[in-house]
Amino acid sequence: MTTTLWTIGTGGSKALNEALEALKTNASLTTLDLGGNSIGEKGAHALEEALKTNSTLTTLNLYNNSIGDNGAQALGEALKTNSTLATLNLLNNSIGNDGAQALGVALKTNSTLATLYLANNSIGDNGAQALGEALKTNSTLATLNLYNNSIGDDGAQALGVALKTNSTLATLDFGRNKIRDNGAQALGEALKTNSTLATLHLPNNSIGDIGAQALAEALKTNSTLATLNFGKNKIGGKGAQALGEALKTNSTLTTLRLNENPIGDNGVQALGEVLKTNTTLAALHLQDNLIGEIGAQTLGEALKTNSTLATLHLPNNSIGDNGAQALGEALKTNSTLSTLNLLNNSIGDIGAQALGVALKTNSTLATLDFGTNKIRDNGAQALGEALKTNSTLTTLNLPNNSIGDKGAQALGEALKTNSTLATLNLLDNSIGDDGAQALGEALKTNSTLATLDFGRNKIRDNGAQALGEALKTNSTLATLDLNNNSIGDNGAQALGEALKTNSTLATLNLQSNSIWYKGLLAFSEALKTNSTLTSLDLQGNLIEPKIVEAFSKALKSKSALTTLDLTCNSIEDNGAHALSEALSTNSTLTTLYLTGNLFKGSGVHALADALKINSSLIILDLQNNSTGDGGVQALSEALKINSTLTTLDLWRNSIGEKGAQALAEALKTNGTLTTLYLQNNSVGDGGAQELSQALKMNSTLMTLDLWGNSIGDNGAQALSEALMRNSTLTTLYLQNNSIGDKGAQALSHALQINSTLTTFDLSCNSVTDKGAMALCKVSRICFVGTQMFM
């Protein structure tokens, strides 16, 4: 039977009707994706009826649909009789504990569902307990995702009890909940007897040493767990030492994540000791763990004999040169490590030289991250020497160091003969033209490098010309980042000329250089014939009207460009008219950034006319122009017709009440816009009231930003009325307005009814403790003043 994937974009009831028809008529439909369609409770009920009789669907994605607890209950009823569905994704649907309980009841009898995603649903302990009860008898569920659900120890204990008898669950995600030591102890007890769980995620909880010790004790006898994620808890040295003891006998754990726990050198020493004999651990993540040179030296000693560890992450520690030297010594003989991350560790030339020496003989390391350290030319030269003979390294990250021309020249020399390096990141160093010329020479013959990041260096025209010459013959480079250098017209012309014949470069970033007329004209000419470049970033250069016209002509041709960034280029209305003409016929551009230009009425009107015809643009950024109410009225008319734009950014555009009123009218019928930014305008209470009326009818908008719009209590009260009826908005920004306690109390009342809003920001208003407490009693994520209340 033919497998069919049916993906339906945002469209509310229309999308649902299409899906229901497909379920009735398509006899091969196995996957249905209705994510982000705002089908709501009624839609879930309609799907319930369809699922009761459908016998082909195996995967149903309903993330971001505001189905609520009633919708989840309906789907639960369907699961009692459906015999084919294997994957159900209900991420971010506000199903609450009632919805989770209904799904739990269904799981007691359902015999096909293998994967259930319930992240971001506020199911709490009661919901988790219901799912735990179901798992005692369910015999098919293999993956359960409960990320960010306000589950505490009681919920974790219930799942722990279930795991003692459950024989199918292989993956359990408990990340970002409220689990403490008691909950971790319950899970530890379960792992002593459980024989199926292979992955357990517990990041972003409040588990301390006691909880870690309990889980470590379980690892001594458990024979199935392969991945344990403890990131961002409160585990110290004692907890790490307990895990080390467990790893002496454990023979299944392959991945251990302890990121952002204060384990220190003592904890790492325990882990290092066990690595000398452990034969299963393949990945160890120790980011931001207060590790110094002593801890790194212990790990280095372990790597000399360890034969399984392939990934070691140590970013944001303080291992310094001594620690790097110890790791370098280990790499001379180690034959398994393939990824080493040493980001932000105060490593200088001495440490880099030690790693360079190791790379000459090491035959396994493929990725080395040295970002944000203190490496200068000597260290880069040592790494360059190593690359001449090394035949395994594919990625070398050296951003935010102090490498100059000599270091870049050494790396360039190496690339002439190196045949494996695919990514070289030299962002934010001190490389000038000489270094760029050396890399350019290397690119003429190098046949492996695909990504080169030269951003934030000191490259001028000579360096850019050298790179341009290289691009004429190079056949592998796909991404070149030259942002924030000092490249002018001559350098840009050279790059443009290269693009006429180059057939591999897909992304070119020239943001914030000094490119003017001739250079930009060269790019516009190149786009007429180039068939591979999809993203061109020219933000922060100086584009004259004639140049915009030239780019517009290029866009009318068979350009492959999908993203064009013309931010902060002083483009005026004439340029907007030219772009409008291009958008009327162009069918490839999906993203257009025009922030910080000089558009006024007629220019915005022209762009609006293009939107009525264009069928490809998804994101339009008009931040910080002078659109005004007249321009917004034109854009609003376009939104009534346009069916592709999902994001419109009108931050700081002198929009008042009339402009807001026009947008509101458009939102009543528009079925695609999901994100609208109106920050730093002047819509006031009247504008907020108009937008509120629209929100009562709109079924697609998910993010509305009204930051800094002079909205007071009347506007807030109107928005609260809308929130009682709206079932799609998930994010509302109201910071830096003039809302007081009356407005806050009205919003609080609305939040008691609304089941979809997850992010709500009221910081920098006039709300006192009275209003703040009213809000935070009901909100899931609430920002008031300078504090976040959960």
Side-chain angles (χ1 to χ4, degrees):
M1 182 174 65
T2 303
T3 299
T4 301
L5 168 64
W6 197 282
T7 303
I8 300 178
T10 56
S13 58
K14 179 182 177 182
L16 177 63
N17 290 333
E18 291 178 16
L20 293 172
E21 185 62 27
L23 286 172
K24 292 177 184 177
T25 60
N26 190 315
S28 61
L29 187 67
T30 59
T31 299
L32 176 60
D33 190 341
L34 277 168
N37 271 289
S38 308
I39 67 170
E41 175 187 329
K42 291 181 180 178
H45 278 284
L47 284 170
E48 171 197 355
E49 293 305 313
L51 288 172
K52 287 180 178 178
T53 55
N54 179 277
S55 60
T56 59
L57 201 69
T58 60
T59 300
L60 177 59
N61 288 327
L62 293 175
Y63 56 88
N64 295 338
N65 264 295
S66 310
I67 68 170
D69 51 2
N70 288 335
Q73 288 167 341
L75 293 172
E77 284 301 310
L79 288 175
K80 292 178 182 178
T81 55
N82 180 279
S83 60
T84 55
L85 201 67
T87 298
L88 178 59
N89 186 347
L90 294 177
L91 179 146
N92 200 26
N93 268 288
S94 304
I95 70 171
N97 61 346
D98 289 341
Q101 287 169 338
L103 291 170
V105 171
L107 287 174
K108 290 179 180 179
T109 54
N110 178 278
S111 60
T112 56
L113 201 68
T115 301
L116 179 58
Y117 294 107
L118 293 176
N120 302 332
N121 270 297
S122 304
I123 72 170
D125 283 335
N126 289 341
Q129 287 168 330
L131 292 169
E133 279 300 307
L135 287 176
K136 290 179 181 177
T137 54
N138 179 279
S139 61
T140 56
L141 200 69
T143 299
L144 178 59
N145 188 325
L146 297 174
Y147 181 88
N148 194 24
N149 266 292
S150 301
I151 299 168
D153 285 342
D154 289 344
Q157 288 167 336
L159 267 295
V161 171
L163 286 174
K164 290 180 179 179
T165 54
N166 179 278
S167 60
T168 56
L169 201 69
T171 300
L172 176 59
D173 191 336
F174 258 139
R176 197 177 284 277
N177 280 287
K178 299 177 180 180
I179 300 169
R180 298 179 180 274
D181 286 337
N182 288 342
Q185 287 172 318
L187 292 170
E189 280 301 307
L191 287 176
K192 291 179 180 178
T193 54
N194 179 278
S195 61
T196 55
L197 199 69
T199 300
L200 178 58
H201 291 292
L202 291 167
N204 295 86
N205 281 284
S206 299
I207 299 168
D209 284 339
I210 294 173
Q213 287 167 332
L215 284 162
E217 195 60 31
L219 288 176
K220 292 179 180 178
T221 53
N222 179 278
S223 60
T224 55
L225 200 69
T227 298
L228 178 58
N229 186 348
F230 262 138
K232 207 170 185 179
N233 278 280
K234 299 178 179 179
I235 300 167
K238 290 181 179 179
Q241 288 167 342
L243 289 167
E245 279 299 310
L247 289 174
K248 289 180 180 178
T249 54
N250 179 279
S251 61
T252 56
L253 200 70
T254 59
T255 300
L256 177 60
R257 293 178 179 270
L258 287 169
N259 300 344
E260 297 184 66
N261 281 286
I263 66 174
D265 282 341
N266 289 339
V268 174
Q269 284 176 312
L271 293 170
E273 279 302 310
V274 74
L275 284 176
K276 293 178 180 178
T277 54
N278 179 279
T279 59
T280 55
L281 202 66
L284 180 59
H285 296 261
L286 296 173
Q287 175 181 341
D288 202 1
N289 282 115
L290 305 180
I291 300 168
E293 62 182 53
I294 294 173
Q297 287 167 339
T298 303
L299 290 171
E301 281 301 309
L303 288 175
K304 290 179 180 178
T305 54
N306 179 278
S307 60
T308 55
L309 200 70
T311 299
L312 178 59
H313 281 242
L314 292 169
N316 301 330
N317 285 289
S318 302
I319 72 170
D321 283 337
N322 289 341
Q325 285 175 315
L327 292 170
E329 277 301 308
L331 287 177
K332 291 178 181 178
T333 54
N334 178 279
S335 60
T336 55
L337 201 70
S338 60
T339 300
L340 179 59
N341 188 332
L342 297 174
L343 175 77
N344 193 23
N345 264 288
S346 302
I347 299 168
D349 284 343
I350 295 173
Q353 288 167 334
L355 268 295
V357 171
L359 287 175
K360 291 180 179 179
T361 55
N362 179 278
S363 61
T364 56
L365 200 69
T367 299
L368 177 58
D369 193 336
F370 260 138
T372 315
N373 279 287
K374 300 176 180 180
I375 299 169
R376 298 179 179 273
D377 284 340
N378 288 341
Q381 287 170 327
L383 291 170
E385 279 301 308
L387 287 175
K388 291 179 180 178
T389 54
N390 178 280
S391 60
T392 56
L393 202 70
T394 60
T395 300
L396 178 58
N397 291 326
L398 291 167
N400 300 308
N401 280 284
S402 301
I403 299 168
D405 285 336
K406 290 182 180 178
Q409 287 169 331
L411 292 168
E413 277 301 307
L415 287 177
K416 290 178 181 179
T417 54
N418 179 280
S419 60
T420 55
L421 199 70
T423 299
L424 178 58
N425 186 343
L426 293 169
L427 172 75
D428 201 5
N429 279 280
S430 301
I431 300 167
D433 284 343
D434 290 343
Q437 287 169 333
L439 267 296
E441 276 301 308
L443 287 175
K444 290 179 180 178
T445 54
N446 178 278
S447 60
T448 55
L449 201 70
T451 300
L452 176 58
D453 192 338
F454 256 144
R456 294 188 182 277
N457 278 283
K458 299 177 180 180
I459 299 168
R460 298 180 180 273
D461 284 339
N462 289 341
Q465 287 170 326
L467 292 169
E469 280 301 307
L471 287 176
K472 290 179 181 178
T473 54
N474 179 279
S475 61
T476 55
L477 200 69
T479 299
L480 177 58
D481 193 334
L482 293 167
N483 81 83
N484 285 278
N485 281 282
S486 300
I487 299 169
D489 280 347
N490 291 338
Q493 284 176 308
L495 291 167
E497 196 61 32
L499 287 176
K500 291 179 181 178
T501 54
N502 178 279
S503 61
T504 55
L505 201 70
T507 300
L508 178 58
N509 187 348
L510 288 166
Q511 174 184 333
S512 300
N513 279 280
S514 303
I515 303 170
W516 287 29
Y517 183 82
K518 292 181 180 179
L520 295 166
L521 186 62
F523 284 122
S524 66
E525 286 299 310
L527 288 176
K528 292 178 182 178
T529 55
N530 179 281
S531 61
T532 55
L533 198 71
T534 59
S535 179
L536 177 60
D537 191 338
L538 292 171
Q539 175 181 338
N541 289 282
L542 185 58
I543 296 180
E544 297 178 11
K546 289 183 179 180
I547 293 301
V548 180
E549 291 175 16
F551 269 101
S552 299
K553 288 179 181 178
L555 288 173
K556 290 180 184 179
S557 65
K558 295 181 180 179
S559 169
L561 211 63
T562 60
T563 300
L564 179 59
D565 192 336
L566 297 174
T567 296
C568 296
N569 272 293
S570 302
I571 303 171
E572 298 180 343
D573 284 342
N574 288 342
H577 280 279
L579 287 169
S580 170
E581 288 182 24
L583 289 174
S584 298
T585 57
N586 178 278
S587 60
T588 58
L589 203 68
T590 60
T591 302
L592 179 58
Y593 295 107
L594 295 170
T595 298
N597 283 289
L598 303 174
F599 300 148
K600 295 181 180 178
S602 67
V604 178
H605 276 270
L607 291 170
D609 286 339
L611 286 177
K612 293 177 182 178
I613 304 168
N614 180 279
S615 60
S616 60
L617 202 68
I618 296 172
I619 297 173
L620 177 59
D621 189 338
L622 290 169
Q623 283 186 53
N624 201 23
N625 280 281
S626 300
T627 301
D629 286 339
V632 169
Q633 286 168 336
L635 289 170
S636 300
E637 285 301 310
L639 287 175
K640 292 178 182 178
I641 302 169
N642 180 280
S643 61
T644 55
L645 201 71
T646 62
T647 299
L648 177 60
D649 195 335
L650 294 169
W651 179 85
R652 192 177 285 175
N653 263 284
S654 304
I655 301 167
E657 182 177 333
K658 290 182 179 179
Q661 183 179 10
L663 285 169
E665 281 302 310
L667 288 174
K668 289 177 183 178
T669 55
N670 178 279
T672 54
L673 201 71
T674 60
T675 302
L676 177 59
Y677 295 109
L678 292 172
Q679 182 177 340
N680 269 344
N681 284 286
S682 303
V683 306
D685 282 339
Q689 289 165 338
E690 295 291 343
L691 290 167
S692 298
Q693 289 302 315
L695 288 175
K696 292 177 183 178
M697 302 168 61
N698 180 279
S699 62
T700 56
L701 199 70
M702 297 178 68
T703 298
L704 177 60
D705 187 346
L706 292 171
W707 191 100
N709 266 285
S710 303
I711 299 169
D713 284 340
N714 289 338
Q717 288 169 331
L719 288 167
S720 69
E721 291 176 14
L723 289 175
M724 292 184 203
R725 293 173 57 178
N726 180 279
S727 61
T728 56
L729 203 69
T730 61
T731 301
L732 178 59
Y733 296 116
L734 289 172
Q735 61 265 53
N736 201 29
N737 281 287
S738 302
I739 300 168
D741 286 340
K742 288 184 179 179
Q745 288 169 331
L747 290 164
S748 171
H749 178 63
L751 289 174
Q752 294 177 41
I753 300 169
N754 179 281
S755 62
T756 57
L757 202 69
T758 58
T759 300
F760 183 39
D761 195 334
L762 266 178
S763 57
C764 300
N765 277 279
S766 301
V767 181
T768 69
D769 288 346
K770 182 179 179 181
M773 294 311 297
L775 276 166
C776 293
K777 286 178 182 177
V778 293
S779 62
R780 289 162 288 282
I781 302 177
C782 175
F783 293 86
V784 181
T786 58
Q787 299 181 11
M788 180 177 73
F789 298 85
M790 299 296 291

